[in-house]
Amino acid sequence: MNMKIRKRKYSGVTDSRISEREIKNRDLSRKAAAEGVVLLKNNGLLPLYVSSKIAVFGNGIARIIKGGTGSGDVNERAVVSMVEGLAAAGYHIVNKESAEKYAADYAEARIEWRDQVMQELEKRQGGSDMAFFDIIANIKERDIKEMEIKEEELQNVGAVLYIISRIAGEGCDRYTKKGDYYLTDLEKKQLTEIAKYNKNIVVLINTGGQIDITELQEEESVKSIVYISQPGMEAGHVIADIISGNVNPSGRLTTTWSLKYEDFPNAAIFSHKNGDTTNEKYEEGIYVGYRYFDSFGVRTLYPFGYGLSYTSFKTEPGEIAVIGNTVKMKVKVQNTGIKYAGRHVVQIYAACPQNVRAKELKRLIGFQKTSLLEPGESETVEITADAKNFASYDQEKSAWIIDAGLYGLFVSENAESNKLAWVLKVERDCIFEKVSHIVKSDPGVKEIEAPQDIAGSFTKEWTIKAEEANMLPVVFKPSEEKTARRPKSEYVKAAMEIAEKMTDAELTAMLMGEISKGQDNMKNDELVESGIFVPGAAGETSCKFEEKYGIPAISMADGPAGLRLMRKYDVDNETGLIYGHGILEALEGGFFAKEYDREHVTTYHMYATAIPIGTLLAQTWDPVLIEEVGEMIGKEMVEFSVA
């Protein structure tokens, strides 16, 4: 059978100018990132007037980290640096020239490093993709001279912004080393030196996850700490939005920041610690994240759900209603500040009966983010919790069970603030959902068990408070959910009919896609390469079945933080062959790509939007906003012909 390459329009556009779609999507990415930024500490320094004089330092000046490496990378048009964002907002950066020189030196050092990598790759006659990654892992980048800290500059500025950046990516567990989980000696030295001349330091944390900043929280000269995470391509503008107060920070943590690394369960034997980065035994069971710290009585630096604001809020629990298998709770929120508008996140936690199955001390059962409230303005939000939020899994019975007993419901600022609001009473056990085991549990994994005295004391404490407040329990009678099997759609039926006609080899080819060249005894040149229709796509289904079965090929892209596609590629005007879609062209917007002098080609551009990483989006606690971001990415998928 002669293979015909599927005729299809080339992905992207030939006009390299910025499009309306890019502008619109950058604005939404900026908005989403700012909504997820978490203010960790603020001793009255922030926000800073945009007319303020400031100085900037830190490794993120040279290269701010927009997102993760590997599948998390996005080849956007450009990333807004911290200096660019602050300058555009109107701040007077007294050491701007030094900062720009530092960034330029870093860029030059990276080019030298890239050239070394490419020379070594050439020695290996190209080599495999793995050879390339081995080379970049073993050739170190050249150190550059750090920015000079001048007394005369720092004494005349309203604040010093210090950014700490860390790269993160797939397949890279954290190391308990300086420059990863811990601050470097240089970072400590610079912060100490800056503090000699200026006591108004703002530290920006530009990392994919928590690092050890306990000493910064305690340091008096560090007036503010802002966790910007990895905010996408609009990073510099996002920093300016938060620092200036143009956006009042309303993000809340979705992880627990410990006082020390050893406070995490299994910290002593996780990943690199036990020498096995391939296999991991998760012994935490249900005690993951805040559930562990809460249930084991371990103090934290910043608890789950934590976040500060430039204003203050007051919450008042209101009505509670049980409707079938749902519990609806109303909470009135008032902005009690006098200067800044802001948004607040109402969090509802439930303390379940501790007399039967093992349970965490409390669990988050619902949340709601308010609209933007002006000083003095109030809003009543309604949080709905489904019955399953109250259920606990019983492994022996293969069922989710809602235990009989009293349930304390708390309106909280975070996982550690316990303001009892209502009490529910379940009169009898309810097997809410019956399931079946897919795999057997590993007998070699012994899950940790929480101390009973902590749970017992907490239960006694909140039940006494309920009695003293004459808080009468609201009866909750959950009923078993029966989920009927959905009938197969016409699409599924049609797909199964085609699948029954296909041979095993054809089914394998369909599963593997174009990445498996030479399958089904076909010649290598009878299959196009992976990513040919959409250069940079992670994979494509096989296009060899279009004529026989009417099944078109579809392209699939990586993209937890935006579509990972080629920034540009060339098409030969005579042959239609595509140039510039290999691994080297895919990384960092073509930073490692070889230069070619091609004639008679048309260049196509695919500038995708680098959105904030997933944990930062989660920190918005705003499902409606996240849906907007999802819809935005969906439209980009359509534009670039990605499935």
Side-chain angles (χ1 to χ4, degrees):
M1 181 177 80
N2 291 324
M3 180 62 198
K4 291 183 179 180
I5 296 179
R6 181 184 174 197
K7 292 183 178 180
R8 164 178 175 176
K9 74 178 184 71
Y10 293 105
S11 182
V13 295
T14 56
D15 188 346
S16 63
R17 291 175 298 180
I18 189 167
S19 67
E20 290 185 11
R21 184 268 304 169
E22 286 183 78
I23 296 172
K24 181 180 178 182
N25 289 3
R26 290 187 77 140
D27 287 343
L28 181 55
S29 177
R30 176 176 176 174
K31 175 185 176 182
E35 285 290 324
V37 168
V38 180
L39 182 62
L40 298 175
K41 176 183 178 181
N42 192 31
N43 289 341
L45 178 59
L46 296 181
L48 288 169
Y49 293 113
V50 292
S51 58
S52 302
K53 288 184 178 181
I54 61 173
V56 294
F57 294 93
N59 61 343
I61 296 296
R63 188 187 183 197
I64 199 164
I65 308 300
K66 73 175 190 295
T69 59
S71 294
D73 196 12
V74 178
N75 295 323
E76 72 296 313
R77 181 182 291 268
V79 176
V80 181
S81 73
M82 178 174 166
V83 171
E84 289 171 335
L86 292 169
Y91 286 104
H92 177 201
I93 306 172
V94 297
N95 63 340
K96 183 181 179 184
E97 185 176 333
S98 297
E100 290 174 340
K101 175 67 166 54
Y102 177 59
D105 288 346
Y106 176 76
E108 181 182 326
R110 289 205 85 228
I111 290 173
E112 290 181 10
W113 169 71
R114 180 199 63 188
D115 292 345
Q116 283 184 279
V117 169
M118 300 308 291
Q119 289 171 11
E120 180 62 27
L121 190 63
E122 193 68 30
K123 289 179 183 177
R124 302 190 191 187
Q125 296 180 334
S128 65
D129 293 347
M130 294 310 297
F132 171 75
F133 288 113
D134 178 64
I135 292 170
I136 63 175
N138 287 285
I139 296 181
K140 303 298 181 184
E141 295 184 34
R142 172 172 64 84
D143 291 332
I144 60 175
K145 185 179 180 181
E146 294 297 327
M147 292 173 61
E148 186 178 357
I149 297 174
K150 300 178 181 179
E151 178 180 355
E152 62 272 18
E153 290 181 340
L154 299 189
Q155 287 183 340
N156 295 310
V157 299
V160 179
L161 273 59
Y162 193 95
I163 183 168
I164 299 172
S165 300
R166 298 282 189 271
I167 290 175
E170 61 176 319
C172 298
D173 289 328
R174 306 296 293 278
Y175 284 86
T176 50
K177 295 180 180 179
K178 295 176 182 179
D180 193 341
Y181 189 76
Y182 296 109
L183 300 180
T184 64
D185 291 336
L186 177 62
E187 287 165 343
K188 292 182 179 181
K189 177 185 175 182
Q190 288 185 325
L191 284 166
T192 299
E193 190 171 352
I194 290 169
K196 292 178 183 178
Y197 312 123
N198 194 298
K199 301 296 183 182
N200 291 329
I201 301 175
V202 178
V203 174
L204 303 166
I205 308 297
N206 174 212
T207 64
Q210 58 263 57
I211 60 174
D212 184 12
I213 57 170
T214 305
E215 57 191 290
L216 299 184
Q217 174 66 26
E218 298 171 350
E219 174 57 48
E220 187 177 342
S221 61
V222 176
K223 295 291 193 299
S224 305
I225 302 176
V226 185
Y227 180 44
I228 66 170
S229 185
Q230 294 177 345
M233 65 192 298
E234 289 290 294
H237 289 321
V238 172
I239 291 172
D241 286 340
I242 295 296
I243 296 300
S244 66
N246 183 47
V247 175
N248 190 342
S250 61
R252 300 292 184 266
L253 292 178
T254 52
T255 53
T256 301
W257 288 46
S258 67
L259 284 169
K260 56 183 183 295
Y261 178 83
E262 292 75 20
D263 286 340
F264 290 104
N266 289 344
I269 58 173
F270 177 71
S271 187
H272 312 286
K273 299 286 186 178
N274 63 25
D276 185 354
T277 57
T278 303
N279 301 294
E280 197 67 47
K281 292 183 177 180
Y282 289 95
E283 299 174 337
E284 294 95 326
I286 64 172
Y287 303 109
V288 177
Y290 74 88
R291 296 173 177 84
Y292 169 78
F293 288 87
D294 215 12
S295 303
F296 284 73
V298 180
R299 290 179 57 240
T300 67
L301 181 63
Y302 308 118
F304 173 88
Y306 176 86
L308 302 177
S309 171
Y310 296 150
T311 188
S312 57
F313 297 93
K314 178 182 178 182
T315 57
E316 295 180 6
E319 299 175 358
I320 181 172
V322 175
I323 304 173
N325 272 350
T326 62
V327 179
K328 295 183 179 293
M329 299 151 283
K330 291 184 178 181
V331 178
K332 181 182 178 182
V333 182
Q334 182 182 19
N335 181 347
T336 55
I338 58 174
K339 195 171 183 180
Y340 300 105
R343 302 182 71 189
H344 183 64
V345 179
V346 178
Q347 303 168 44
I348 307 293
Y349 293 81
C352 303
Q354 296 284 343
N355 55 348
V356 190
R357 276 156 281 278
K359 301 180 185 71
E360 65 278 82
L361 201 70
K362 296 191 309 295
R363 67 178 64 159
L364 181 70
I365 61 169
F367 62 90
Q368 181 71 46
K369 196 168 190 176
T370 69
S371 58
L372 188 67
L373 300 178
E374 296 294 334
E377 188 178 2
S378 299
E379 179 182 353
T380 298
V381 298
E382 183 176 81
I383 296 98
T384 299
D386 295 328
K388 193 169 182 178
N389 288 314
F390 300 93
S392 300
Y393 186 67
D394 190 303
Q395 189 158 303
E396 292 183 3
K397 296 181 179 180
S398 303
W400 289 91
I401 300 175
I402 301 175
D403 292 318
L406 296 179
Y407 292 73
L409 306 184
F410 302 82
V411 175
S412 304
E413 305 288 327
N414 53 65
E416 290 184 359
S417 69
N418 302 317
K419 181 180 179 181
L420 185 65
W422 309 281
V423 177
L424 286 181
K425 181 179 182 180
V426 177
E427 297 176 333
R428 59 179 62 86
D429 290 353
C430 170
I431 298 179
F432 182 72
E433 184 180 6
K434 185 70 177 175
V435 296
S436 56
H437 290 303
I438 299 175
V439 294
K440 294 181 179 179
S441 59
D442 187 345
V445 177
K446 183 175 175 56
E447 295 183 353
I448 59 177
E449 298 179 358
Q452 292 301 304
D453 58 327
I454 294 177
S457 297
F458 181 66
T459 301
K460 183 178 180 180
E461 178 184 323
W462 71 257
T463 52
I464 290 176
K465 285 184 179 179
E467 291 174 359
E468 291 175 346
N470 196 28
M471 195 175 291
L472 299 178
V474 177
V475 177
F476 181 32
K477 297 181 179 179
S479 58
E480 182 178 347
E481 286 278 319
K482 295 182 179 179
T483 306
R485 285 184 176 273
R486 289 182 294 179
K488 293 178 181 177
S489 70
E490 294 301 316
Y491 296 107
V492 173
K493 291 178 181 178
M496 292 185 70
E497 289 175 2
I498 295 175
E500 290 172 357
K501 298 176 184 178
M502 300 175 76
T503 66
D504 289 346
E506 288 175 330
L507 288 170
T508 301
M510 176 59 66
L511 174 66
M512 296 299 293
E514 300 298 7
I515 200 169
S516 53
K517 295 182 68 174
Q519 60 197 3
D520 199 21
N521 297 318
M522 298 181 70
K523 295 179 181 178
N524 285 348
D525 60 359
E526 289 179 321
L527 281 176
V528 294
E529 292 183 6
S530 176
I532 197 71
F533 291 140
V534 184
E540 291 171 345
T541 60
S542 180
C543 61
K544 73 180 205 177
F545 305 114
E546 186 161 13
E547 287 190 2
K548 186 175 181 180
Y549 298 111
I551 303 174
I554 58 174
S555 301
M556 295 157 285
D558 282 342
L563 300 179
R564 191 167 72 91
L565 304 174
M566 296 297 178
R567 186 175 287 169
K568 67 176 183 177
Y569 64 96
D570 295 331
V571 176
D572 190 297
N573 294 334
E574 296 179 358
T575 65
L577 291 175
I578 294 176
Y579 302 103
H581 59 96
I583 184 67
L584 298 183
E585 285 81 6
L587 293 173
E588 297 189 33
F591 181 66
F592 294 96
K594 296 179 181 179
E595 292 295 328
Y596 294 98
D597 184 17
R598 300 189 182 104
E599 296 182 349
H600 311 297
V601 298
T602 299
T603 301
Y604 286 83
H605 305 272
M606 296 188 294
Y607 294 114
T609 307
I611 62 175
I613 63 172
T615 48
L616 180 53
L617 289 176
Q619 286 173 187
T620 67
W621 294 63
D622 190 340
V624 175
L625 178 59
I626 294 175
E627 284 182 12
E628 288 183 46
V629 175
E631 184 177 354
M632 174 189 82
I633 294 299
K635 289 179 179 178
E636 280 196 13
M637 292 172 67
V638 172
E639 178 180 335
F640 295 129
S641 301
V642 172

